[in-house]
Amino acid sequence: MVSFILSVLALIVGYFLYSKVVERIFGIDDKRITPAYSKSDGLDYTPMGWIKASLIQLLNIAGLGPIFGAILGALYGPVAFIWIVLGCLFAGAVHDYFSGMLSVRHGGEQFPTLVGRYLGKYVKSVINVISLILMILVAAAFTAGPAQLVEQLTPLSYSASLLLIFVYFVLAAILPINKLIGKIYPIFGLVLIIMAVSIGFALFFMDHSIPNITLENLHPGEVPIWPLLMVTISCGAISGFHSTQSPILARTLKKESDGRKVFFGAMVAEGIIALIWAAAGMTFFGGPDGLQGALANGGAAGVVNEISKTTLGQFGGILAILGVIILPITTGDTALRSSRMILVELLSKFGKFDTKMKTILMTVPVVIPTYLLTQMDYSFLWRYVGWTNQVVATVMLWTAAMFLLQNKKFHWICSIPALFMTAVTGSYIFYAPEGFHLSYGTSMICGSIIFVSVLAWFIYQLKRNKNTNIPLDNVA
């Protein structure tokens, strides 16, 4: 119990202290006109207050990610608390802040374009493809589950449920951000917070106490902590999907100082939500063995439903249904909206179109493959989301590191977590079943080779920029 409380406090204190350090290193200037005003178009570029923007950002980046991922991560035991706290403060929140603020600085640019600015056009080309694949996979994975639950709870068939969800997706992707997302997301964001806080209080009254932090691996399946825990718990620690979502809100900030509250703050809130659900998973079923049995019977959704109903009664049951149906849908819709924005930015050089026509035309190419993927097994989709997600996060951290390095700023706040995530993703893809599925030892050797290669590239960048005296920051 003490470890859990200290972990929550560490995130809260970390927000008030470390976020200001990161903000100071980035160097905000509230005299700059933000894209919300300089490019106001009534669609994506629309000024919005920081409280509403923070709630929308939280729902964009969270959904069921910090719930399902944290529950699966709870199988490893309380070592998950360490990863959530350190990952959230020093990697995830920094990642989210720079993905948002670099977009603000460069006129609301999307993630792949930012990557191109600081890592080159070849990396941009690759990340354009990976980003679109990630968002389509996320949207598909977070659509199939809710549609199945709607089928169970209502007279609607699975196909009819999917159709209704996709009608909403299209509307969310093409309507002005303040017409639909801006009105309902703050409400659903509060639902997510109330759900987590309610479970958090219930933890103090469970039959089993929350275990204290230990480095011991308690996973019943004897699955190694490194690097699997860092991919299992992404939302709540660090998630590359966030870098595709932050530019949505970057186009709405009224001033640069709002970025710390919107981007860094939403990530810390997500980290606290992940801590609560990880603790609930470790505690409610009496330990990792009991949790594994519950997951085998009803999956993560079943675990959420059982914990919510048992601890909070009918109110918990309502929250669970809202959570399992609504929250993943609100992740899927902004994934498609962001995909549409990336495609518009990518293809704008080939010609100018009417804004409304361009919006509709760029929505179709992402909606169709997403719908087709919903016909596949959810678990199959989710396996590929994990690794793709963390590759995108790693690239974003390197993008931020190069921005700081080129501008003679303290780049270590980004380059150290970038190196760490390089090691994670480099070793994971060789070991994971959805990757090369090699032995653990061989995977660690291959991952080390990738890490050393990237480290050598970074040392070269350090030497090259050491002799550059003029900052290279080309702000829009």
Short mmCIF file of all heavy atoms in Angstrom, two decimals, residues 316-350:
data_model
loop_
_atom_site.label_atom_id
_atom_site.label_comp_id
_atom_site.label_asym_id
_atom_site.label_seq_id
_atom_site.Cartn_x
_atom_site.Cartn_y
_atom_site.Cartn_z
N GLY A 316 -20.50 0.95 -10.46
CA GLY A 316 -19.31 0.42 -11.10
C GLY A 316 -19.63 -0.32 -12.38
O GLY A 316 -18.87 -0.24 -13.36
N GLY A 317 -20.77 -1.03 -12.39
CA GLY A 317 -21.17 -1.72 -13.60
C GLY A 317 -21.44 -0.76 -14.74
O GLY A 317 -21.06 -1.02 -15.90
N ILE A 318 -22.08 0.36 -14.42
CA ILE A 318 -22.36 1.37 -15.45
C ILE A 318 -21.06 1.97 -15.97
O ILE A 318 -20.86 2.14 -17.17
CB ILE A 318 -23.27 2.48 -14.88
CG1 ILE A 318 -24.65 1.91 -14.54
CG2 ILE A 318 -23.39 3.64 -15.87
CD1 ILE A 318 -25.54 2.87 -13.80
N LEU A 319 -20.13 2.27 -15.04
CA LEU A 319 -18.85 2.82 -15.44
C LEU A 319 -18.07 1.83 -16.31
O LEU A 319 -17.42 2.22 -17.28
CB LEU A 319 -18.01 3.17 -14.20
CG LEU A 319 -18.41 4.42 -13.42
CD1 LEU A 319 -17.51 4.58 -12.20
CD2 LEU A 319 -18.33 5.67 -14.30
N ALA A 320 -18.14 0.56 -15.95
CA ALA A 320 -17.41 -0.45 -16.72
C ALA A 320 -17.94 -0.54 -18.14
O ALA A 320 -17.17 -0.61 -19.11
CB ALA A 320 -17.53 -1.81 -16.03
N ILE A 321 -19.27 -0.53 -18.27
CA ILE A 321 -19.87 -0.60 -19.61
C ILE A 321 -19.50 0.64 -20.42
O ILE A 321 -19.12 0.56 -21.60
CB ILE A 321 -21.40 -0.75 -19.50
CG1 ILE A 321 -21.75 -2.13 -18.94
CG2 ILE A 321 -22.05 -0.56 -20.88
CD1 ILE A 321 -23.22 -2.32 -18.66
N LEU A 322 -19.59 1.82 -19.77
CA LEU A 322 -19.21 3.05 -20.45
C LEU A 322 -17.75 3.00 -20.88
O LEU A 322 -17.39 3.39 -21.99
CB LEU A 322 -19.44 4.25 -19.54
CG LEU A 322 -20.89 4.71 -19.35
CD1 LEU A 322 -20.96 5.79 -18.28
CD2 LEU A 322 -21.46 5.24 -20.66
N GLY A 323 -16.93 2.49 -19.96
CA GLY A 323 -15.51 2.44 -20.25
C GLY A 323 -15.17 1.50 -21.38
O GLY A 323 -14.46 1.87 -22.33
N VAL A 324 -15.69 0.29 -21.33
CA VAL A 324 -15.33 -0.73 -22.32
C VAL A 324 -15.93 -0.42 -23.69
O VAL A 324 -15.39 -0.83 -24.72
CB VAL A 324 -15.78 -2.12 -21.84
CG1 VAL A 324 -15.53 -3.18 -22.90
CG2 VAL A 324 -15.03 -2.49 -20.57
N ILE A 325 -17.03 0.33 -23.73
CA ILE A 325 -17.64 0.67 -25.02
C ILE A 325 -17.16 2.03 -25.53
O ILE A 325 -16.67 2.15 -26.65
CB ILE A 325 -19.18 0.68 -24.91
CG1 ILE A 325 -19.70 -0.74 -24.66
CG2 ILE A 325 -19.81 1.22 -26.21
CD1 ILE A 325 -21.20 -0.82 -24.49
N ILE A 326 -17.29 3.05 -24.69
CA ILE A 326 -17.06 4.41 -25.16
C ILE A 326 -15.58 4.77 -25.28
O ILE A 326 -15.15 5.35 -26.27
CB ILE A 326 -17.77 5.42 -24.22
CG1 ILE A 326 -19.28 5.24 -24.33
CG2 ILE A 326 -17.38 6.85 -24.59
CD1 ILE A 326 -20.06 6.10 -23.35
N LEU A 327 -14.78 4.40 -24.27
CA LEU A 327 -13.40 4.84 -24.25
C LEU A 327 -12.57 4.34 -25.43
O LEU A 327 -11.81 5.11 -26.02
CB LEU A 327 -12.74 4.46 -22.92
CG LEU A 327 -13.35 5.13 -21.68
CD1 LEU A 327 -12.61 4.70 -20.42
CD2 LEU A 327 -13.33 6.65 -21.81
N PRO A 328 -12.67 3.07 -25.80
CA PRO A 328 -11.91 2.66 -27.00
C PRO A 328 -12.40 3.32 -28.28
O PRO A 328 -11.61 3.58 -29.19
CB PRO A 328 -12.12 1.14 -27.04
CG PRO A 328 -13.32 0.88 -26.23
CD PRO A 328 -13.33 1.92 -25.17
N ILE A 329 -13.70 3.60 -28.35
CA ILE A 329 -14.23 4.26 -29.54
C ILE A 329 -13.65 5.67 -29.66
O ILE A 329 -13.30 6.12 -30.76
CB ILE A 329 -15.77 4.32 -29.50
CG1 ILE A 329 -16.35 2.90 -29.67
CG2 ILE A 329 -16.32 5.23 -30.59
CD1 ILE A 329 -17.85 2.84 -29.51
N THR A 330 -13.48 6.34 -28.53
CA THR A 330 -12.92 7.70 -28.56
C THR A 330 -11.43 7.70 -28.84
O THR A 330 -10.85 8.75 -29.12
CB THR A 330 -13.19 8.44 -27.24
OG1 THR A 330 -12.63 7.69 -26.15
CG2 THR A 330 -14.68 8.63 -27.01
N THR A 331 -10.79 6.55 -28.74
CA THR A 331 -9.41 6.43 -29.20
C THR A 331 -9.38 6.20 -30.70
O THR A 331 -8.57 6.78 -31.42
CB THR A 331 -8.70 5.27 -28.47
OG1 THR A 331 -8.69 5.51 -27.07
CG2 THR A 331 -7.26 5.14 -28.95
N GLY A 332 -10.30 5.36 -31.17
CA GLY A 332 -10.36 5.05 -32.59
C GLY A 332 -10.70 6.25 -33.45
O GLY A 332 -10.12 6.43 -34.54
N ASP A 333 -11.62 7.09 -32.98
CA ASP A 333 -12.04 8.20 -33.83
C ASP A 333 -10.94 9.24 -34.03
O ASP A 333 -10.73 9.73 -35.13
CB ASP A 333 -13.33 8.85 -33.31
CG ASP A 333 -13.18 9.47 -31.93
OD1 ASP A 333 -12.07 9.44 -31.37
OD2 ASP A 333 -14.19 9.97 -31.39
N THR A 334 -10.19 9.54 -32.96
CA THR A 334 -9.12 10.52 -33.13
C THR A 334 -7.92 9.91 -33.86
O THR A 334 -7.14 10.64 -34.47
CB THR A 334 -8.66 11.09 -31.77
OG1 THR A 334 -8.37 10.01 -30.87
CG2 THR A 334 -9.73 11.99 -31.18
N ALA A 335 -7.79 8.58 -33.80
CA ALA A 335 -6.75 7.93 -34.60
C ALA A 335 -7.04 8.17 -36.08
O ALA A 335 -6.13 8.49 -36.86
CB ALA A 335 -6.71 6.43 -34.30
N LEU A 336 -8.29 8.03 -36.47
CA LEU A 336 -8.65 8.26 -37.87
C LEU A 336 -8.59 9.74 -38.23
O LEU A 336 -8.21 10.09 -39.34
CB LEU A 336 -10.03 7.69 -38.15
CG LEU A 336 -10.15 6.17 -38.07
CD1 LEU A 336 -11.54 5.72 -38.48
CD2 LEU A 336 -9.11 5.49 -38.93
N ARG A 337 -8.95 10.59 -37.29
CA ARG A 337 -8.85 12.04 -37.56
C ARG A 337 -7.39 12.43 -37.78
O ARG A 337 -7.06 13.17 -38.71
CB ARG A 337 -9.43 12.84 -36.40
CG ARG A 337 -9.49 14.35 -36.68
CD ARG A 337 -10.05 15.13 -35.50
NE ARG A 337 -10.15 16.53 -35.82
CZ ARG A 337 -11.23 17.14 -36.30
NH1 ARG A 337 -12.32 16.41 -36.52
NH2 ARG A 337 -11.23 18.42 -36.55
N SER A 338 -6.51 11.91 -36.94
CA SER A 338 -5.10 12.19 -37.10
C SER A 338 -4.56 11.61 -38.40
O SER A 338 -3.73 12.25 -39.09
CB SER A 338 -4.32 11.61 -35.91
OG SER A 338 -2.96 11.93 -35.98
N SER A 339 -5.02 10.42 -38.78
CA SER A 339 -4.62 9.82 -40.06
C SER A 339 -5.02 10.72 -41.21
O SER A 339 -4.25 10.92 -42.16
CB SER A 339 -5.27 8.44 -40.23
OG SER A 339 -4.92 7.57 -39.20
N ARG A 340 -6.23 11.23 -41.14
CA ARG A 340 -6.71 12.14 -42.19
C ARG A 340 -5.83 13.38 -42.27
O ARG A 340 -5.45 13.83 -43.36
CB ARG A 340 -8.17 12.53 -41.89
CG ARG A 340 -8.82 13.41 -42.96
CD ARG A 340 -8.76 14.89 -42.59
NE ARG A 340 -9.51 15.20 -41.40
CZ ARG A 340 -9.43 16.36 -40.77
NH1 ARG A 340 -8.61 17.31 -41.21
NH2 ARG A 340 -10.14 16.59 -39.68
N MET A 341 -5.45 13.93 -41.12
CA MET A 341 -4.61 15.13 -41.09
C MET A 341 -3.22 14.85 -41.67
O MET A 341 -2.65 15.68 -42.37
CB MET A 341 -4.51 15.65 -39.65
CG MET A 341 -5.83 16.22 -39.13
SD MET A 341 -5.90 16.41 -37.33
CE MET A 341 -4.63 17.62 -37.05
N ILE A 342 -2.68 13.67 -41.38
CA ILE A 342 -1.36 13.31 -41.92
C ILE A 342 -1.43 13.16 -43.43
O ILE A 342 -0.55 13.64 -44.17
CB ILE A 342 -0.86 12.00 -41.27
CG1 ILE A 342 -0.46 12.26 -39.82
CG2 ILE A 342 0.32 11.43 -42.05
CD1 ILE A 342 -0.04 11.02 -39.06
N LEU A 343 -2.48 12.52 -43.93
CA LEU A 343 -2.63 12.35 -45.38
C LEU A 343 -2.81 13.68 -46.08
O LEU A 343 -2.25 13.90 -47.17
CB LEU A 343 -3.82 11.44 -45.68
CG LEU A 343 -3.59 9.94 -45.49
CD1 LEU A 343 -4.89 9.17 -45.69
CD2 LEU A 343 -2.52 9.43 -46.44
N VAL A 344 -3.58 14.58 -45.50
CA VAL A 344 -3.76 15.91 -46.08
C VAL A 344 -2.42 16.62 -46.19
O VAL A 344 -2.09 17.22 -47.22
CB VAL A 344 -4.76 16.74 -45.24
CG1 VAL A 344 -4.73 18.20 -45.68
CG2 VAL A 344 -6.18 16.19 -45.39
N GLU A 345 -1.63 16.56 -45.10
CA GLU A 345 -0.33 17.22 -45.08
C GLU A 345 0.63 16.56 -46.07
O GLU A 345 1.42 17.23 -46.74
CB GLU A 345 0.24 17.16 -43.66
CG GLU A 345 1.35 18.15 -43.40
CD GLU A 345 1.65 18.27 -41.92
OE1 GLU A 345 0.98 19.08 -41.24
OE2 GLU A 345 2.54 17.56 -41.44
N LEU A 346 0.55 15.24 -46.17
CA LEU A 346 1.44 14.49 -47.04
C LEU A 346 1.15 14.76 -48.52
O LEU A 346 2.08 14.89 -49.33
CB LEU A 346 1.31 12.99 -46.75
CG LEU A 346 2.12 12.03 -47.61
CD1 LEU A 346 3.61 12.27 -47.39
CD2 LEU A 346 1.75 10.59 -47.29
N LEU A 347 -0.12 14.85 -48.87
CA LEU A 347 -0.51 14.96 -50.28
C LEU A 347 -0.79 16.38 -50.74
O LEU A 347 -1.10 16.61 -51.90
CB LEU A 347 -1.75 14.09 -50.53
CG LEU A 347 -1.58 12.59 -50.24
CD1 LEU A 347 -2.89 11.86 -50.46
CD2 LEU A 347 -0.47 11.99 -51.09
N SER A 348 -0.67 17.34 -49.83
CA SER A 348 -0.99 18.73 -50.19
C SER A 348 -0.06 19.27 -51.27
O SER A 348 -0.44 20.15 -52.05
CB SER A 348 -0.91 19.63 -48.95
OG SER A 348 0.39 19.58 -48.39
N LYS A 349 1.15 18.73 -51.36
CA LYS A 349 2.10 19.23 -52.36
C LYS A 349 1.71 18.83 -53.78
O LYS A 349 2.24 19.37 -54.75
CB LYS A 349 3.50 18.72 -52.05
CG LYS A 349 3.64 17.22 -52.06
CD LYS A 349 5.05 16.80 -51.68
CE LYS A 349 5.20 15.29 -51.64
NZ LYS A 349 6.58 14.90 -51.26
N PHE A 350 0.78 17.88 -53.89
CA PHE A 350 0.36 17.44 -55.23
C PHE A 350 -0.79 18.25 -55.80
O PHE A 350 -1.27 17.99 -56.88
CB PHE A 350 -0.03 15.96 -55.19
CG PHE A 350 1.12 15.05 -54.84
CD1 PHE A 350 1.19 14.45 -53.61
CD2 PHE A 350 2.14 14.83 -55.76
CE1 PHE A 350 2.25 13.62 -53.29
CE2 PHE A 350 3.20 14.00 -55.44
CZ PHE A 350 3.26 13.39 -54.20
#
